[in-house]
Amino acid sequence: MATFPKFRNFVGAGVLASAVLLAFACARRPSSGGLLSADAAQRVYVAPGQYDEFYAFMSGGFNGQIGVYGLPSGRRLKTIPVFSQYPENGYGYSEETKPMLNTSYGFIPWDDTHHPALSQTNGEDDGRWLFINANNTPRIARIDLTRFETDEILEIPNAGGNHGSPFMTSNSEYVVSATRFSVPVPNTDVPISSFKKNFRGQISFIRADQPGKMRVEFQMLMPGFNYDLARAGKGKSEGWFFFSMYNTEQANSLLEVNASQHDKDFVAAVNWKAIEGCAKSGKVKNTTASYSHNFTDEFTRQAKSETITSVPQFEAKDCPGAVYFMPTPKSPHGADVDPTGEYIAAGGKLASVIPVHSFTKLLKAIEDKAYEGEIEGIPVLKYEATLAGEVKNPGLGPLHTEFDGKGYAYTSFFISSEVVKWKLGTWEVVDRVPTYYSIGHLMIPGGGTMKPTPKYLVAMNKITKDRYLPTGPELTQSAQLYDITGDKMKLLLDFPTEGEPHYAQAILASKIKDRQVKFYKLADSKAPMVTRSEKETGLSREGKKVHVRMTAIRSHFSPDNIEGVQVGDTVLFHVTNLEQDWDVPHGFAIMGAQNGELLIMPGETRTLSWVPRKPGVYPMYCTDFCSALHQEMQGYVRVSAPGSNVALSGVTSKGPQPAAKAEAASKKKQ
């Protein structure tokens, strides 16, 4: 790999091998009868009225969302909108949720999600929160799992691509993020050819243990490499983090060739306890930055956006003992820590082995100063000094490893399209199963924690080809469920997924399902425009702005007919769902609205902004089937020409009601 021709041949051989293996796999595709035996079908069958054993949270990839699936059935339960507008429930369209998508670049209605991470307590998933990254415009989001809603989003400054994120410490003290694309820090106009001089990497430690208060606690500047995946230490390695990285050549063009010149890249061993010590000793300095923090107020249910103008920062070299580089075979993807915290498995995508580092040997190597050099003041340890062992000839294209807590590891192989099971300590392969096809990540419930639940393994595959009915040029995304309770893995189920799932997390349903919020108490609502009964409904005009305080209840809106709106008015429909029962949302939409609908949960108030462009009568209606008379839940808005003398009024159960005077309405709002 030291010369270009050798590298080209290696890559060409890999691509050819991939194509041949895929063709071979398609040709030997098992029939459904052989694959889904009666036993397999029984294992995944969840009878009507029964619940799945696990919630699985799967990244939506380029749709910017999270898909929630039940396991073992593979049934889709919900889509949680995070970084992308979502018409189904008005996320990013309603006035209450729009601020969630604010960034320093403005309103960004899309992003690319990759790595969900559950909050932890004592190294175990606790079911409180789920975090996920935005890869394109760097951000991290918190999802409240009592409501399955995005509550908080923090933009990451000085980052170019947020692929290496979010990764949890064992008591949710920090969510950790690293830049995928090194950029100038601060970002400024410099020649791209000055990459080695001006481009920097960084790792951010984000406080996330209090809802609504996520913040960058400190940011560590690193060499200008590409930073990929990570896991926190646990058990004996508690207080450490392990990050994979590639492009240690610091190339800036044609990375397929130019970032594959070295035999090895690195896994960074990061001592975050030492970093805390540096921060407390004053080595961290606030530097100028501008980034957004968006959060939902728990009392008003309205999102707010604030701009933060500085970030605590320091150079890794200025905190001795904070970072060490462990050489790792080329282009490592995963950097995965076993449940004991002793072993760190790295998947070098261009490697023929799976290297496994030892935390005990890492500490000894540091003590002995077993260095082969340094990079920007960061010691580079000798490969053999930290190596616990190598899994020999496991497959082609290793990516990511999960653990079952019983002494075994499972690694995904993209090129050879398979999952390989191997034994910790002896490093021998004990089983392998094909995937269909080109697996990326894989997941075992709790596989990144101290206490996995080793019942199932989910493979998230990049290619499906002949697995499902064809759907034009793009086929459905795919996941596959394997039984790992025995010595041999057994394929149980294929199920389609939304978007391009990258990673997933799964947790026992018992940790979440009984904690669900069923409705919002009207009496406790502090929404500025809440309307707790039809008596409080009304309309008011403030210049060219019209406020409509409206209620929704089975099966009518109040008011249901509105007149006196003029072309060019901004009409704000503040709709309160009066229901106080579980699973009785109401929808609201009006013809010609240029954003989306509202889906209003019981006891919730949501606002739709509408600007009519021409005179006429516009129907409005409930979009969510709510009762036998759902079709009758409708109304009209009459729009007149600008300057019209048609009085603003609305029809309620008491008949036509005139608009409140602007002054009185303003006082009532205050």
Side-chain angles (χ1 to χ4, degrees), residues 436-468:
Y436 305 96
Y437 306 97
S438 297
I439 180 175
H441 281 273
L442 48 70
M443 177 270 291
I444 293 171
T449 73
M450 294 183 71
K451 293 186 178 180
T453 308
K455 195 168 186 177
Y456 303 113
L457 179 147
V458 176
M460 286 150 278
N461 306 326
K462 303 300 183 183
I463 299 173
T464 56
K465 293 299 183 188
D466 57 347
R467 303 302 289 180
Y468 304 102

Side-chain angles (χ1 to χ4, degrees), residues 171-195:
N171 280 291
S172 303
E173 301 96 337
Y174 294 104
V175 176
V176 180
S177 165
T179 187
R180 175 181 177 183
F181 311 111
S182 290
V183 293
V185 178
N187 206 341
T188 189
D189 179 12
V190 299
I192 297 173
S193 59
S194 69
F195 189 101

Side-chain angles (χ1 to χ4, degrees), residues 52-60 65-80 116-118 125 130 132 145 148 443-446 456-460 479-481 495-498 501 503-510 512:
D52 279 286
E53 186 178 1
F54 296 90
Y55 287 102
F57 301 97
M58 305 184 76
S59 68
Q65 323 287 25
I66 293 173
V68 185
Y69 297 81
L71 296 181
S73 73
R75 298 180 297 194
R76 174 182 166 272
L77 304 175
K78 188 178 180 68
T79 295
I80 304 173
L118 288 159
D125 295 329
L130 180 72
I132 195 163
L145 292 180
F148 283 61
M443 177 270 291
I444 293 171
Y456 303 113
L457 179 147
V458 176
M460 286 150 278
Q480 294 185 297
L481 184 74
F495 61 98
T497 61
E498 289 187 287
Y503 185 47
Q505 295 261 271
I507 187 172
L508 286 166
S510 58
I512 293 178

Side-chain angles (χ1 to χ4, degrees), residues 34 62 147 185 210 311 392 399 558 577 589 593 667:
F62 42 68
R147 292 178 283 106
V185 178
Q210 296 182 60
V311 60
K392 304 287 188 182
L399 292 181
S558 181
N577 182 346
K667 288 179 182 178

Side-chain angles (χ1 to χ4, degrees), residues 32-298:
S32 59
L35 184 63
L36 291 178
S37 65
D39 175 63
Q42 186 176 16
R43 287 291 311 278
V44 301
Y45 178 67
V46 178
Q50 299 299 307
Y51 295 146
D52 279 286
E53 186 178 1
F54 296 90
Y55 287 102
F57 301 97
M58 305 184 76
S59 68
F62 42 68
N63 74 16
Q65 323 287 25
I66 293 173
V68 185
Y69 297 81
L71 296 181
S73 73
R75 298 180 297 194
R76 174 182 166 272
L77 304 175
K78 188 178 180 68
T79 295
I80 304 173
V82 187
F83 298 111
S84 298
Q85 291 176 304
Y86 192 55
E88 182 176 309
N89 66 4
Y91 178 84
Y93 293 105
S94 71
E95 297 305 296
E96 288 81 5
T97 59
K98 282 181 182 178
M100 294 300 291
L101 300 179
N102 285 345
T103 75
S104 62
Y105 303 93
F107 181 82
I108 303 291
W110 169 87
D111 218 300
D112 180 19
T113 58
H114 280 218
H115 306 126
L118 288 159
S119 57
Q120 294 186 12
T121 301
N122 296 326
E124 297 182 53
D125 295 329
D126 56 29
R128 292 177 296 164
W129 309 310
L130 180 72
F131 297 86
I132 195 163
N133 64 322
N135 189 26
N136 182 60
T137 302
R139 289 168 286 174
I140 289 175
R142 180 203 308 269
I143 292 89
D144 185 316
L145 292 180
T146 65
R147 292 178 283 106
F148 283 61
E149 292 181 352
T150 302
D151 262 4
E152 191 170 8
I153 295 177
L154 180 69
E155 188 178 356
I156 312 299
N158 301 317
N162 187 39
H163 186 265
S165 162
F167 305 107
M168 304 297 304
T169 55
S170 59
N171 280 291
S172 303
E173 301 96 337
Y174 294 104
V175 176
V176 180
S177 165
T179 187
R180 175 181 177 183
F181 311 111
S182 290
V183 293
V185 178
N187 206 341
T188 189
D189 179 12
V190 299
I192 297 173
S193 59
S194 69
F195 189 101
K196 291 185 178 181
K197 177 182 177 182
N198 290 317
F199 288 55
R200 306 301 306 277
Q202 56 85 3
I203 299 176
S204 296
F205 290 80
I206 296 149
R207 263 298 174 186
D209 52 352
Q210 296 182 60
K213 297 182 179 180
M214 286 174 66
R215 65 187 184 275
V216 180
E217 189 82 348
F218 32 75
Q219 190 172 76
M220 181 170 63
L221 294 181
M222 296 281 288
F225 305 152
N226 291 63
Y227 296 80
D228 204 352
L229 299 180
R231 284 287 193 203
K234 54 182 76 80
K236 61 176 62 179
S237 55
E238 168 68 24
W240 288 72
F241 242 98
F242 303 94
F243 252 107
S244 66
M245 59 190 69
Y246 61 102
N247 189 23
T248 54
E249 295 85 352
Q250 295 184 287
N252 60 75
S253 177
L254 296 175
L255 264 61
E256 182 182 15
V257 174
N258 294 324
S260 298
Q261 300 302 306
H262 298 165
D263 289 334
K264 292 182 175 65
D265 285 312
F266 301 124
V267 167
V270 180
N271 185 339
W272 64 263
K273 293 286 189 181
I275 295 172
E276 280 190 326
C278 285
K280 291 176 182 177
S281 68
K283 291 186 178 180
V284 172
K285 296 180 180 179
N286 282 326
T287 59
T288 301
S290 179
Y291 53 104
S292 295
H293 175 225
N294 311 325
F295 60 97
T296 300
D297 185 284
E298 64 175 310

Side-chain angles (χ1 to χ4, degrees), residues 253-421:
S253 177
L254 296 175
L255 264 61
E256 182 182 15
V257 174
N258 294 324
S260 298
Q261 300 302 306
H262 298 165
D263 289 334
K264 292 182 175 65
D265 285 312
F266 301 124
V267 167
V270 180
N271 185 339
W272 64 263
K273 293 286 189 181
I275 295 172
E276 280 190 326
C278 285
K280 291 176 182 177
S281 68
K283 291 186 178 180
V284 172
K285 296 180 180 179
N286 282 326
T287 59
T288 301
S290 179
Y291 53 104
S292 295
H293 175 225
N294 311 325
F295 60 97
T296 300
D297 185 284
E298 64 175 310
F299 301 108
T300 65
R301 302 277 300 128
Q302 289 188 311
K304 300 178 180 179
S305 183
E306 61 183 6
T307 299
I308 304 173
T309 57
S310 67
V311 60
Q313 196 176 77
F314 68 99
E315 296 270 357
K317 64 183 180 182
D318 293 334
C319 187
V323 186
Y324 298 89
F325 287 151
M326 298 189 293
T328 299
K330 197 60 195 165
S331 293
H333 191 54
D336 302 298
V337 183
D338 87 303
T340 70
E342 169 63 15
Y343 297 120
I344 304 101
K349 298 193 295 289
L350 300 181
S352 59
V353 298
I354 301 173
V356 184
H357 299 283
S358 160
F359 182 72
T360 301
K361 295 185 74 173
L362 165 68
L363 295 182
K364 185 69 165 57
I366 293 170
E367 181 183 353
D368 294 344
K369 298 188 183 324
Y371 306 152
E372 64 178 39
E374 66 173 41
I375 298 176
E376 295 186 20
I378 299 172
V380 178
L381 299 167
K382 294 179 180 178
Y383 179 62
E384 295 76 12
T386 65
L387 189 69
E390 295 177 332
V391 182
K392 304 287 188 182
N393 301 315
L396 294 175
L399 292 181
H400 170 59
T401 300
E402 295 265 293
F403 303 91
D404 63 9
K406 299 187 294 184
Y408 294 97
Y410 302 73
T411 301
S412 56
F413 286 82
F414 177 79
I415 295 176
S416 52
S417 291
E418 60 185 333
V419 176
V420 172
K421 178 181 178 180

